[in-house]
Amino acid sequence: MTISPRIIPLVKDPERLENRLAEIPPEAGVYFMRDSTDSIIYIGKSKKLRSRVRSYFQDSNYTSHRIATMVQQVTDIEFIVTDTEAEALALEANLIKQHQPYFNVLLKDDKKYPYVCITWSEDYPRIFITRKRQLGKAKDKFYGPYTDTGLLREILHISKRIFALRQRPQPLFKDRPCLNYDLGRCPGVCQQLISPSEYRQTVQKVAMVFQGRTQELLDILTKQMQTAAEELNFELAARIRDQISGLKSLTADQKVSLPDDTVSRDAVALAADKERACIQLFQIRAGQLVGRLGFIANSQAEPGAILQRVLESHYQTADAVEFPAEILVQHDLPDAEILADVLSQRKGRKVTILTPQRQTKAELIEMVERNAEYELQRMQKLSDRNHEALQDLTNILDLPDLPHRIEGYDISHIQGSNAVASQVVFIDGLPGKQHYRHYKIKNPTVTSGHSDDFASLAEVIQRRFRKYSEDPQLSRVGNPDWPDLIMIDGGKGQLSAVVDVLQEMNLLADLRVVSLAKQREEIFLPGESEPLETEAEQPGVQLLRRLRDEAHRFAVSFHRQQRSDNFRRSRLDEIPGLGHHRQKQLLGHFRSVDYIRQATPAQLAEVPGIGPRLAQEIYDYFHPN
């Protein structure tokens, strides 16, 4: 389908609007709203596309100022028909993630909320806490995000004590397990003393804890304990008894007062201000609070639409066994029937969505809402502190507006060896880690024993802004990649080196650059011999200090990584015929150069790409006598 050459909104062209609506079928599917720039500004779903889309263009049906504003901008409508409502739900969620339409409810990625990841894509799955939800492998599973990091770490720690799980990311020894195996805390994964299928069964039990299925797991373990006792396997029975005791301790103090403890429930509520909505989702199983998840969204939509988007996003990535029998919501959902039908089909049992108005369930929703309000207040205070720091920094540097994007740069090396640089970015005073960059210093004069931070900084800045120097017509105003402020870690010398290269590139007039000296936390401006008169503890200076410390941390971590990689490969580089790819194969197989040295020619030849002749050369290199 193509957009009409007439780009006036449909509401101002009734004939074209009516013709377009008539073309939309009365079937289930997904619809797109486009504006005059051909951009998708809204994506929705419906059991009956025609009636849903038509409702937007009836004034009496405007549910909010946001929808009314959107309708005034729509120049064309597209649709995709699906076979089922479930397909429409999944398709809408995927398209929203892909296009991020302005008028849709967009869940924000709040880095403070951690997830639990289980790498089911591996033979021996790993379990770890992460703040980066990267859906790179379809089989890997993420649970969360959890609002209580301390409790989450405690649960994972206790789980590793209850069940025999891999305790170390890398094996401590090559040919034998470590002490954890002797203590019964690890099944000897590093030496494959347990089969992948048996280990995955153990990990599945841990996954049930994060799925809210603790009672189901307790019932399974109780039966296993009884069977072991009947078979006179008292050692196994005692081990399972200890696992049951440990699991009960996890939820001993998490009882929620409800009249029917046999029903599994999720309760979701929100609190919102003009900028954001904080959503809390309580997972209650057998009368116990087993999980408290948090989400953040823009607050321009109706509360029910926000809750709908949160639930759709949450259950889309959850397993069907995690679905509750009952979902309590604070506000009526616009498409509650579709969501309930889809969840019921996936679960194989009826899932009910209720908006309780009184008695115990309403009190539960009030408790969830109260927790959401506390979270909103906390975020408001954080936002106020950030705004205060940005305003103070604006006053210190006499900036025309609050700096939206601030970039910080630092150099890390050991006497010139493995010299690297970091670029960190703060967006509205908070780290924007998706914009962080690493640089390897390419200057040939920067070598081991000869460092030059001034030249290194000049090189990094030149590489960062090269495209703007080569193309003066490249847009800078309104460009999200263009910084409002650049901070250099250092004093007058480092700042002067950066200023010189920006002058050569004809960019100094368009960029605001300062440096922050470590010793006295002094701010230097280009061309000024004395620092600005500031206090080290005032909010604007503290913001620059956080930026400087983050740039230093990021640079040092990358330097250590480079130094470690070079150390591991330094000896392998001396072996003729052993290129970078084969080095990676060897290190991936043996884990370290020490293990490669201890290997026999036959063991070396087992590595893909290492034939008998090269294996003998590697062995001879490490055993010259």
Side-chain angles (χ1 to χ4, degrees):
M1 298 180 184
T2 59
I3 291 182
S4 167
R6 300 176 62 189
I7 60 173
I8 64 172
L10 288 174
V11 292
K12 296 182 179 180
D13 190 347
E15 182 179 354
R16 187 164 63 94
L17 171 60
E18 190 58 38
N19 291 336
R20 196 71 189 93
L21 293 176
E23 295 172 354
I24 300 175
E27 300 180 35
V30 175
Y31 55 91
F32 308 75
M33 304 287 194
R34 292 185 180 270
D35 63 8
S36 58
T37 65
D38 200 26
S39 300
I40 296 176
I41 58 175
Y42 187 78
I43 298 174
K45 65 180 175 306
S46 179
K47 295 167 60 176
K48 297 180 179 180
L49 285 171
R50 180 183 297 170
S51 58
R52 171 59 64 84
V53 175
R54 184 179 291 276
S55 69
Y56 286 100
F57 298 92
Q58 299 172 356
D59 293 347
S60 60
N61 284 3
Y62 288 162
T63 57
S64 69
H65 176 72
R66 179 182 67 97
I67 295 298
T69 302
M70 179 199 73
V71 170
Q72 297 299 318
Q73 300 179 26
V74 175
T75 59
D76 195 30
I77 306 165
E78 297 182 9
F79 60 87
I80 298 176
V81 174
T82 59
D83 292 331
T84 65
E85 298 166 11
E87 291 179 2
L89 181 67
L91 179 59
E92 181 205 34
N94 292 333
L95 291 173
I96 289 175
K97 287 181 182 179
Q98 177 182 351
H99 296 285
Q100 297 283 295
Y102 178 79
F103 288 99
N104 277 96
V105 176
L106 303 178
L107 301 183
K108 298 182 180 179
D109 184 14
D110 188 0
K111 295 295 189 292
K112 80 179 187 66
Y113 289 151
Y115 294 83
V116 169
C117 178
I118 300 181
T119 58
W120 292 109
S121 59
E122 301 175 1
D123 290 339
Y124 294 94
R126 293 174 294 124
I127 308 175
F128 57 90
I129 297 174
T130 178
R131 296 179 188 270
K132 297 180 180 179
R133 184 174 182 175
Q134 299 172 334
L135 301 176
K137 297 181 179 179
K139 292 184 179 180
D140 291 350
K141 189 68 179 163
F142 289 83
Y143 304 93
Y146 292 91
T147 58
D148 193 334
T149 307
L151 178 61
L152 177 60
R153 294 186 183 279
E154 180 183 355
I155 291 175
L156 189 57
H157 175 75
I158 294 176
S159 297
K160 287 187 175 182
R161 291 293 178 265
I162 297 174
F163 303 102
L165 296 171
R166 175 168 53 183
Q167 303 290 324
R168 301 178 59 87
Q170 298 292 342
L172 190 61
F173 306 105
K174 178 189 175 183
D175 54 356
R176 62 184 177 89
C178 63
L179 187 60
N180 284 313
Y181 176 76
D182 299 318
L183 294 175
R185 293 180 176 178
C186 174
V189 171
C190 61
Q191 304 302 318
Q192 298 184 356
L193 300 179
I194 183 174
S195 68
S197 60
E198 291 177 315
Y199 187 72
R200 292 171 77 90
Q201 290 176 7
T202 301
V203 176
Q204 183 59 57
K205 294 177 182 178
V206 181
M208 293 176 70
V209 175
F210 295 106
Q211 292 171 341
R213 302 164 61 196
T214 308
Q215 186 58 49
E216 182 182 343
L217 177 59
L218 285 171
D219 294 341
I220 293 173
L221 291 176
T222 300
K223 292 180 181 178
Q224 292 179 350
M225 180 181 67
Q226 294 171 349
T227 301
E230 292 171 358
E231 297 175 352
L232 304 183
N233 191 345
F234 299 116
E235 182 179 349
L236 175 60
R239 188 160 63 248
I240 298 176
R241 177 204 61 200
D242 293 340
Q243 292 176 349
I244 293 173
S245 176
L247 284 171
K248 287 181 178 179
S249 70
L250 285 177
T251 54
D253 300 323
Q254 296 182 354
K255 194 75 173 177
V256 176
S257 179
L258 286 174
D260 187 358
D261 287 348
T262 63
V263 178
S264 61
R265 293 182 175 90
D266 281 356
V268 62
L270 62 81
D273 58 18
K274 294 181 179 180
E275 297 180 359
R276 66 185 69 82
C278 292
I279 304 98
Q280 295 275 293
L281 191 152
F282 279 29
Q283 298 172 305
I284 301 162
R285 305 293 184 267
Q288 293 180 336
L289 178 62
V290 300
R292 184 164 74 97
L293 312 182
F295 306 86
I296 298 175
N298 52 10
S299 61
Q300 304 306 311
E302 292 294 310
I306 295 175
L307 296 181
Q308 174 100 23
R309 180 76 182 96
V310 167
L311 293 175
E312 289 174 354
S313 175
H314 171 62
Y315 293 125
Q316 185 184 30
T317 58
D319 292 330
V321 293
E322 301 174 47
F323 297 170
E326 190 174 85
I327 301 173
L328 306 180
V329 296
Q330 178 190 21
H331 301 279
D332 290 336
L333 307 184
D335 292 306
E337 185 180 350
I338 293 180
L339 180 60
D341 290 344
V342 169
L343 296 182
S344 299
Q345 291 173 15
R346 289 182 56 190
K347 185 178 178 66
R349 297 175 59 185
K350 184 175 179 57
V351 175
T352 306
I353 299 178
L354 301 174
T355 308
Q357 302 296 329
R358 59 189 181 200
Q359 297 182 343
T360 308
K361 294 180 182 179
E363 293 174 358
L364 175 60
I365 285 292
E366 290 177 1
M367 180 183 70
V368 180
E369 180 183 1
R370 193 161 59 249
N371 281 270
E373 289 173 349
Y374 289 139
E375 182 65 14
L376 179 63
Q377 293 172 8
R378 190 197 66 79
M379 295 199 66
Q380 288 171 336
K381 291 179 181 179
L382 178 61
S383 177
D384 291 342
R385 286 197 297 268
N386 280 333
H387 187 272
E388 180 185 1
L390 289 170
Q391 185 63 63
D392 186 48
L393 184 60
T394 301
N395 296 335
I396 291 172
L397 301 179
D398 193 24
L399 299 175
D401 297 299
L402 296 182
H404 169 66
R405 179 186 176 110
I406 309 176
E407 295 183 359
Y409 294 85
D410 191 20
I411 304 295
S412 181
H413 58 83
I414 294 181
Q415 304 220 343
S417 65
N418 302 120
V420 298
S422 66
Q423 170 199 325
V424 301
V425 179
F426 276 21
I427 303 294
D428 294 330
L430 296 174
K433 295 189 177 182
Q434 68 272 28
H435 303 296
Y436 285 17
R437 296 292 182 271
H438 283 136
Y439 295 88
K440 294 181 183 179
I441 301 303
K442 299 179 180 179
N443 192 324
T445 64
V446 179
T447 59
S448 181
H450 186 276
S451 62
D452 191 336
D453 286 359
F454 299 165
S456 298
L457 281 168
E459 175 191 329
V460 171
I461 295 298
Q462 195 274 336
R463 288 164 60 184
R464 164 67 175 92
F465 295 101
R466 178 189 295 133
K467 63 181 180 181
Y468 296 98
S469 177
E470 295 174 348
D471 184 4
Q473 302 300 319
L474 197 59
S475 174
R476 299 166 195 176
V477 178
N479 186 342
D481 188 49
W482 187 261
D484 300 300
L485 178 65
I486 294 175
M487 187 222 64
I488 304 300
D489 183 7
K492 291 184 289 185
Q494 285 86 348
L495 179 61
S496 296
V498 171
V499 167
D500 289 344
V501 73
L502 288 176
Q503 283 179 330
E504 295 175 5
M505 301 170 71
N506 295 319
L507 295 176
L508 184 59
D510 299 322
L511 287 168
R512 191 64 186 271
V513 189
V514 300
S515 68
L516 183 65
K518 286 188 178 71
Q519 189 171 9
R520 298 179 181 176
E521 310 295 359
E522 295 173 326
I523 301 175
F524 288 92
L525 300 180
E528 300 291 337
S529 59
E530 297 296 326
L532 294 176
E533 293 184 4
T534 57
E535 298 293 335
E537 299 304 319
Q538 69 183 95
V541 179
Q542 287 185 334
L543 175 59
L544 287 185
R545 286 168 58 185
R546 290 198 296 272
L547 179 68
R548 188 267 317 280
D549 294 344
E550 180 70 353
H552 180 71
R553 179 201 66 80
F554 199 52
V556 168
S557 64
F558 186 50
H559 167 71
R560 288 173 177 167
Q561 175 189 330
Q562 294 299 305
R563 192 176 64 198
S564 175
D565 290 346
N566 289 344
F567 176 75
R568 293 171 69 188
R569 293 197 174 100
S570 59
R571 299 197 65 185
L572 299 180
D573 286 336
E574 300 175 5
I575 303 176
L578 193 62
H580 179 73
H581 177 71
R582 286 174 173 172
Q583 289 180 23
K584 287 179 63 176
Q585 295 286 86
L586 278 171
L587 289 171
H589 184 84
F590 290 101
R591 302 292 185 181
S592 76
V593 175
D594 290 335
Y595 291 162
I596 295 174
R597 183 193 304 112
Q598 298 170 14
T600 64
Q603 291 172 328
L604 292 168
E606 294 175 357
V607 179
I610 307 295
R613 183 182 62 81
L614 183 55
Q616 189 63 48
E617 291 183 5
I618 297 171
Y619 183 83
D620 293 341
Y621 171 81
F622 286 109
H623 304 84
N625 296 327

XYZ file of all heavy atoms in Angstrom, residues 125 127 156 158-168 180 184-189 199 202-204 206:
209
model
N 23.500 -25.140 31.401
C 23.011 -23.762 31.516
C 23.621 -23.018 32.698
O 23.851 -23.590 33.770
C 21.496 -23.942 31.694
C 21.201 -25.290 31.156
C 22.403 -26.121 31.445
N 23.267 -19.667 35.350
C 22.255 -18.824 35.992
C 22.973 -17.614 36.572
O 23.904 -17.762 37.371
C 21.511 -19.572 37.115
C 20.964 -20.912 36.614
C 20.393 -18.711 37.688
C 20.315 -21.740 37.710
N 19.104 -16.207 44.807
C 20.026 -16.944 43.952
C 21.122 -17.606 44.785
O 21.535 -18.745 44.505
C 20.642 -15.990 42.916
C 21.471 -16.645 41.813
C 20.650 -17.684 41.062
C 22.002 -15.601 40.844
N 20.890 -18.616 47.945
C 20.313 -19.766 48.650
C 20.044 -20.909 47.675
O 20.250 -22.090 48.011
C 19.020 -19.345 49.375
C 19.352 -18.340 50.490
C 18.301 -20.553 49.947
C 18.135 -17.794 51.195
N 19.621 -20.570 46.463
C 19.362 -21.615 45.463
C 20.629 -22.411 45.164
O 20.585 -23.630 44.961
C 18.815 -20.993 44.177
O 17.581 -20.360 44.404
N 21.773 -21.729 45.117
C 23.035 -22.419 44.849
C 23.486 -23.264 46.038
O 24.345 -24.129 45.880
C 24.117 -21.402 44.495
C 23.946 -20.789 43.114
C 25.129 -19.910 42.742
C 24.987 -19.404 41.313
N 26.150 -18.578 40.893
N 22.924 -22.979 47.213
C 23.219 -23.815 48.375
C 22.244 -24.989 48.469
O 22.605 -26.066 48.922
C 23.141 -22.964 49.654
C 24.259 -21.934 49.776
C 25.605 -22.618 49.967
N 26.704 -21.664 50.043
C 27.441 -21.316 48.998
N 27.186 -21.837 47.797
N 28.433 -20.470 49.129
N 21.012 -24.768 48.034
C 20.005 -25.837 48.091
C 20.291 -26.899 47.039
O 20.242 -28.107 47.326
C 18.597 -25.251 47.884
C 18.250 -24.285 49.016
C 17.564 -26.368 47.791
C 16.933 -23.560 48.806
N 20.594 -26.446 45.809
C 20.816 -27.368 44.701
C 22.290 -27.332 44.286
O 22.944 -26.293 44.351
C 19.939 -26.989 43.504
C 18.473 -26.959 43.817
C 17.815 -25.759 44.028
C 17.756 -28.138 43.910
C 16.472 -25.732 44.310
C 16.402 -28.120 44.208
C 15.756 -26.922 44.410
N 22.782 -28.477 43.864
C 24.180 -28.562 43.414
C 24.293 -27.934 42.023
O 23.897 -28.545 41.023
C 24.645 -30.015 43.387
N 24.821 -26.715 41.962
C 24.956 -25.987 40.710
C 26.404 -25.589 40.488
O 27.207 -25.540 41.434
C 24.091 -24.720 40.728
C 22.578 -24.909 40.826
C 21.899 -23.573 41.059
C 22.048 -25.551 39.554
N 26.739 -25.309 39.245
C 28.084 -24.826 38.919
C 28.332 -23.534 39.696
O 27.568 -22.575 39.615
C 28.199 -24.594 37.422
C 29.529 -23.980 37.010
C 29.745 -24.029 35.521
N 28.652 -23.455 34.763
C 28.600 -23.437 33.434
N 29.562 -23.994 32.731
N 27.590 -22.887 32.812
N 29.434 -23.484 40.415
C 29.736 -22.339 41.269
C 30.697 -21.341 40.636
O 30.750 -20.183 41.043
C 30.345 -22.829 42.600
C 29.468 -23.793 43.362
C 28.235 -23.132 43.950
O 28.271 -22.004 44.385
N 27.117 -23.861 43.953
N 31.479 -21.776 39.632
C 32.498 -20.912 39.041
C 32.249 -20.771 37.543
O 31.886 -21.748 36.869
C 33.904 -21.487 39.256
C 34.295 -21.677 40.717
C 35.684 -22.295 40.809
N 36.677 -21.445 40.157
C 37.318 -20.451 40.768
N 37.076 -20.192 42.041
N 38.204 -19.723 40.120
N 34.490 -27.282 45.660
C 33.028 -27.232 45.674
C 32.414 -28.594 45.369
O 31.347 -28.927 45.877
C 32.527 -26.199 44.651
C 32.705 -24.779 45.132
O 32.374 -24.450 46.257
N 33.245 -23.930 44.274
N 29.954 -31.044 47.848
C 28.612 -31.327 47.360
C 27.864 -30.121 46.840
O 26.659 -30.190 46.590
N 28.582 -29.000 46.651
C 27.928 -27.781 46.151
C 27.921 -27.703 44.629
O 27.182 -26.902 44.063
C 28.634 -26.550 46.713
C 28.477 -26.391 48.218
C 29.186 -25.154 48.704
N 28.966 -24.929 50.130
C 29.513 -23.934 50.822
N 30.309 -23.070 50.196
N 29.265 -23.796 52.100
N 28.747 -28.480 43.963
C 28.821 -28.479 42.504
C 28.885 -29.923 42.020
O 29.586 -30.747 42.625
C 30.054 -27.704 42.034
S 30.333 -27.773 40.250
N 28.178 -30.271 40.960
C 28.184 -31.651 40.471
C 29.371 -31.975 39.569
O 29.382 -33.028 38.931
C 26.867 -31.742 39.700
C 26.661 -30.366 39.175
C 27.211 -29.430 40.230
N 30.360 -31.086 39.478
C 31.527 -31.348 38.642
C 31.287 -31.079 37.174
O 31.690 -31.861 36.314
N 30.645 -29.937 36.891
C 30.349 -29.575 35.504
C 31.631 -29.412 34.696
O 31.704 -29.807 33.530
C 29.510 -28.278 35.460
C 29.367 -27.766 34.034
C 28.135 -28.520 36.075
N 21.942 -32.376 34.597
C 22.187 -31.026 35.126
C 21.037 -30.092 34.782
O 20.631 -29.252 35.595
C 23.499 -30.467 34.568
C 23.892 -29.151 35.191
C 24.344 -29.099 36.502
C 23.807 -27.968 34.475
C 24.695 -27.897 37.088
C 24.159 -26.756 35.047
C 24.610 -26.727 36.358
O 24.954 -25.527 36.937
N 18.278 -30.277 37.225
C 18.536 -29.504 38.445
C 18.252 -28.021 38.209
O 17.625 -27.353 39.037
C 19.996 -29.682 38.890
O 20.262 -31.064 39.121
C 20.277 -28.904 40.166
N 18.712 -27.501 37.065
C 18.495 -26.089 36.749
C 17.005 -25.792 36.595
O 16.527 -24.716 36.961
C 19.271 -25.694 35.473
C 18.966 -24.253 35.076
C 20.765 -25.866 35.688
N 16.253 -26.754 36.078
C 14.808 -26.562 35.915
C 14.135 -26.347 37.267
O 13.172 -25.578 37.381
C 14.198 -27.767 35.197
C 12.706 -27.624 34.927
C 12.382 -26.414 34.078
O 12.887 -26.280 32.974
N 11.548 -25.520 34.583
N 15.508 -24.844 39.825
C 15.796 -23.454 40.194
C 14.907 -22.509 39.389
O 14.406 -21.505 39.904
C 17.282 -23.135 39.965
C 17.587 -21.690 40.366
C 18.162 -24.091 40.756
